[in-house]
């Protein structure tokens, strides 16, 4: 009886141990299936996504981007599981519902097969597109833009001063051109071709600079005696005269109601035309005549150039320059802020320098330099396209239109026997106006639009205010 009881106990223990081992094996197999250690098991019910919320791309249209789609699953357990579940829930006669999964949200209406790189709005500067892809991509060749080689208008400009350091033309936002000739300033309405005499300073004084306010209603006039006059252009009325300089005022720049004036006395005065005082601050850092002044488009920075070969940058409230650029080796008159890139400043040097330099005032860095081969007299950015106009003096007297940042020449206009000293651009950015020592004003087409082919030549007798069409 003892033997039978012991045998029964041993059999029961062996059976319990075997059942326990089987349970452990089943649990182990279940865990293996869950963690998918061998990559063989896939859930029949749904696609497992990661916990980083990366979307599943099973419904993405990979053919649109010429990408290889994920390989189809060879496991048929998902389809068998779906059939068993449909039969258990809805019966054996339940209809099979087609797959109506929502397509990828990033889809295009027109599915054209292009390379993924061709969808970028930018060029491929790093050469990432292969030659085979480039051969299949459609190439759109833009026709070269035609820049008229001849001026659309030629206007006589007698008594034009031959002086590199002066600024004698400016174009207002109301499409009125101001020109300083000798001791007088004239207004030419580009819409009506009407000429008006604004002021006559007399035989003992000369107009050395003109500058329109941003609204185009007031014109500042700098004189050879160091005075700055503010004129109401619509009424041809002198509003006020401000003093401070004791030598000629050759540079003017507006920033809202603030007028900056630069002089041969090496100083820059900041003038608030709303205040009673002639000036509110004095900027003294140049060691020679100030011949270039330009406010940035956001009115936060003032760039000044002088005959001391310096390019200085001031902020609204500083009395000392916040940036100094000393790389030029000649006078810096040509200064231009880019309307397209914040903080991008271009400057040009005189005869001994001949270079156009580009600066980033935000990072205080020198970006590039281009040797033009001639004295740089003026710089102006196009308002419509990322291009730059430069006029030159000794020795080629040319006009260049540059494509920035490649600095490739869009056009070169020649034919001037003397320096192209003065330059201004129309408010719509399509026409620029220049004066050279041929004693004439020339208006040339610029930007994306060219002027009509049938050129009109107009001769303006400024002294007698008569307009005669030849």
């Amino acid at each position: 009886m003892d033997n039978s009881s012991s045998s029964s106990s041993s059999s029961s223990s062996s059976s319990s141990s075997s059942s326990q081992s089987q349970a452990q094996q089943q649990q182990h197999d279940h865990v293996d299936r869950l963690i998918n250690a061998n990559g063989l098991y896939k859930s029949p019910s749904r696609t497992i996504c990661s916990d980083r919320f990366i979307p599943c791309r099973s419904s993405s249209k990979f053919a649109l981007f010429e990408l290889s789609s994920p390989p189809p699953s060879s496991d048929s357990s998902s389809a068998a599981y779906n059939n068993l579940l449909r039969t258990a829930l809805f019966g054996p006669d339940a209809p099979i519902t087609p797959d109506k999964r929502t397509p990828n949200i990033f889809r295009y209406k027109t599915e054209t097969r292009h390379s993924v790189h061709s969808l970028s709005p930018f060029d491929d500067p790093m050469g990432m597109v292969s030659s085979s892809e480039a051969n299949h991509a459609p190439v759109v060749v833009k026709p070269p833009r035609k820049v008229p080689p001849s001026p659309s208008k030629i206007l006589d400009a007698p008594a034009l001063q031959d002086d590199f350091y002066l600024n004698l033309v400016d174009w207002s936002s109301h499409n009125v051109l101001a020109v300083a000739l000798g001791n007088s300033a004239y207004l030419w309405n580009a819409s009506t071709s009407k000429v008006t005499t604004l002021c006559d300073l007399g035989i003992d004084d000369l107009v050395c600079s003109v500058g329109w306010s941003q609204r185009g209603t007031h014109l500042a006039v700098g004189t050879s005696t160091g005075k700055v006059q503010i004129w109401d252009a619509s009424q041809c009325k002198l509003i006020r005269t401000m003093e401070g300089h004791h030598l000629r005022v050759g540079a003017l720049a507006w920033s809202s109601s603030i007028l900056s004036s630069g002089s041969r006395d090496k100083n820059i005065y900041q003038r608030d035309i709303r205040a009673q005082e002639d000036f509110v601050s004095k900027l003294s850092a140049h060691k020679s005549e100030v011949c270039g002044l330009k406010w940035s488009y956001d009115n936060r920075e003032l760039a000044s150039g002088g005959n001391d070969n310096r390019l200085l940058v001031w902020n609204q409230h500083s009395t000392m320059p916040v940036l100094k650029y000393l790389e030029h080796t000649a006078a810096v008159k040509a200064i231009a802020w880019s309307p397209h890139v914040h903080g991008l400043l271009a400057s040009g040097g005189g005869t001994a320098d001949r270079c156009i330099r580009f600066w980033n005032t935000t990072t205080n860095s020198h970006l590039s330099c281009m040797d033009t081969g001639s004295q740089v007299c003026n710089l102006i950015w196009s308002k419509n396209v990322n291009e730059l106009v430069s006029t030159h003096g000794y020795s080629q007297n040319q006009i260049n239109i540059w494509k920035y940042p490649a600095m490739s020449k869009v056009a070169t206009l020649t034919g001037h026997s003397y320096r192209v000293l003065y330059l201004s651009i129309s408010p719509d950015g399509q026409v620029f106006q220049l004066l050279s020592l041929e004693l004439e004003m020339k208006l040339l087409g610029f930007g994306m639009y060219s002027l009509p082919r049938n050129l009109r030549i107009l001769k303006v007798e400024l002294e007698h205010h008569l307009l005669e069409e030849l």
Side-chain angles (χ1 to χ4, degrees):
M1 205 174 157
D2 293 336
N3 294 334
S4 62
S5 62
S6 61
S7 61
S8 61
S9 61
S10 61
S11 61
S12 61
S13 61
S14 61
S15 61
S16 62
S17 61
S18 61
S19 60
Q20 184 177 2
S21 62
Q22 291 178 358
Q24 291 178 352
Q25 181 64 31
Q26 292 176 357
Q27 183 178 5
H28 180 70
D29 294 341
H30 180 67
V31 171
D32 284 344
R33 288 196 301 270
L34 288 178
I35 63 176
N36 194 18
N38 299 323
L40 299 177
Y41 180 80
K42 295 184 179 179
S43 173
S45 59
R46 61 185 178 87
T47 303
I48 298 177
C49 297
S50 70
D51 58 353
R52 295 181 61 191
F53 299 99
I54 299 176
C56 299
R57 297 301 184 188
S58 59
S59 60
S60 299
K61 294 183 177 295
F62 294 95
L64 179 61
F65 301 94
E66 293 188 353
L67 300 176
S68 59
S69 58
S73 174
S74 60
D75 190 2
S76 59
S77 59
S78 179
Y81 176 82
N82 290 334
N83 291 332
L84 291 175
L85 181 62
R86 185 186 309 107
T87 303
L89 294 177
F90 305 107
D93 299 330
I96 300 177
T97 304
D99 187 6
K100 295 183 179 180
R101 289 179 294 178
T102 305
N104 186 18
I105 190 172
F106 301 104
R107 68 175 297 186
Y108 296 88
K109 293 182 179 179
T110 304
E111 299 182 1
T112 56
R113 297 178 64 85
H114 292 297
S115 170
V116 64
H117 302 289
S118 66
L119 298 176
S120 172
F122 306 101
D123 295 332
D124 184 36
M126 304 301 294
M128 297 175 60
V129 182
S130 63
S131 58
S132 60
E133 291 176 339
N135 293 333
H136 293 290
V139 178
V140 179
V141 179
K142 294 183 179 180
R145 178 160 50 86
K146 295 182 180 180
V147 178
S150 302
S152 62
K153 291 182 176 65
I154 299 179
L155 311 173
D156 281 350
L160 179 66
Q161 299 182 65
D162 177 16
D163 198 322
F164 172 79
Y165 302 99
L166 304 184
N167 294 272
L168 301 182
V169 299
D170 198 18
W171 211 322
S172 77
S173 58
H174 290 172
N175 205 21
V176 177
L177 190 68
V179 184
L181 300 175
N183 54 11
S184 300
Y186 297 90
L187 304 180
W188 180 71
N189 192 312
S191 301
T192 63
S193 297
K194 180 182 179 181
V195 179
T196 305
T197 302
L198 179 67
C199 64
D200 188 343
L201 303 182
I203 59 175
D204 297 329
D205 205 349
L206 293 173
V207 179
C208 298
S209 57
V210 292
W212 285 102
S213 64
Q214 294 172 335
R215 294 184 178 181
T217 55
H218 294 84
L219 181 70
V221 175
T223 70
S224 60
T225 58
K227 298 179 181 179
V228 177
Q229 299 179 351
I230 307 296
W231 288 80
D232 185 339
S234 61
Q235 302 180 11
C236 294
K237 179 181 179 181
L238 178 63
I239 297 178
R240 64 180 298 185
T241 300
M242 295 177 287
E243 300 183 353
H245 297 292
H246 58 273
L247 294 176
R248 70 179 186 182
V249 180
L252 296 168
W254 286 86
S255 172
S256 186
S257 60
I258 301 297
L259 174 63
S260 304
S261 61
S263 170
R264 181 178 271 181
D265 62 10
K266 311 174 188 177
N267 297 320
I268 301 172
Y269 285 103
Q270 303 280 50
R271 310 172 186 272
D272 191 339
I273 61 174
R274 300 167 300 181
Q276 295 182 353
E277 297 81 10
D278 285 340
F279 57 90
V280 294
S281 63
K282 177 181 178 181
L283 312 181
S284 300
H286 283 283
K287 298 181 179 179
S288 187
E289 179 175 9
V290 179
C291 51
L293 283 177
K294 283 292 187 300
W295 279 96
S296 61
Y297 279 86
D298 58 5
N299 294 324
R300 294 184 178 182
E301 293 179 303
L302 173 67
S304 63
N307 199 23
D308 55 0
N309 309 343
R310 293 186 172 194
L311 175 65
L312 307 180
V313 179
W314 319 71
N315 62 27
Q316 291 175 309
H317 309 291
S318 65
T319 56
M320 294 300 294
V322 294
L323 298 174
K324 296 182 180 181
Y325 300 121
L326 310 178
E327 281 77 2
H328 284 291
T329 58
V332 182
K333 175 197 175 186
I335 302 173
W337 291 93
S338 171
H340 311 289
V341 180
H342 175 73
L344 178 57
L345 176 64
S347 61
T351 306
D353 185 80
R354 307 183 308 274
C355 293
I356 300 175
R357 297 180 182 270
F358 296 91
W359 319 86
N360 188 330
T361 60
T362 304
T363 60
N364 189 19
S365 58
H366 183 201
L367 300 178
S368 61
C369 176
M370 170 64 69
D371 190 343
T372 65
S374 297
Q375 175 190 42
V376 183
C377 300
N378 298 278
L379 291 172
I380 285 185
W381 289 91
S382 168
K383 300 176 183 179
N384 304 320
V385 291
N386 201 13
E387 294 178 357
L388 186 73
V389 178
S390 63
T391 69
H392 300 270
Y394 305 122
S395 58
Q396 301 178 29
N397 307 322
Q398 79 274 29
I399 306 164
N400 291 324
I401 303 178
W402 308 87
K403 184 70 175 178
Y404 186 82
M407 288 305 287
S408 57
K409 288 185 180 180
V410 177
T412 299
L413 306 176
T414 58
H416 289 270
S417 303
Y418 301 93
R419 298 183 292 176
V420 186
L421 289 175
Y422 312 111
L423 176 69
S424 186
I425 193 168
S426 62
D428 60 3
Q430 299 179 18
V431 177
F432 64 85
Q433 177 271 343
L434 55 95
L435 271 74
S436 66
L437 291 184
E438 281 90 352
L439 302 182
E440 62 188 10
M441 278 192 307
K442 295 187 176 181
L443 290 88
L444 299 166
F446 172 70
M448 296 301 294
Y449 307 98
S450 59
L451 295 176
R453 294 183 179 179
N454 51 340
L455 302 177
R456 291 189 305 154
I457 300 178
L458 302 179
K459 182 177 181 182
V460 178
E461 300 291 348
L462 294 175
E463 295 177 346
H464 304 288
H465 320 302
L466 298 177
L467 181 64
E468 179 184 24
E469 183 170 353
L470 298 180

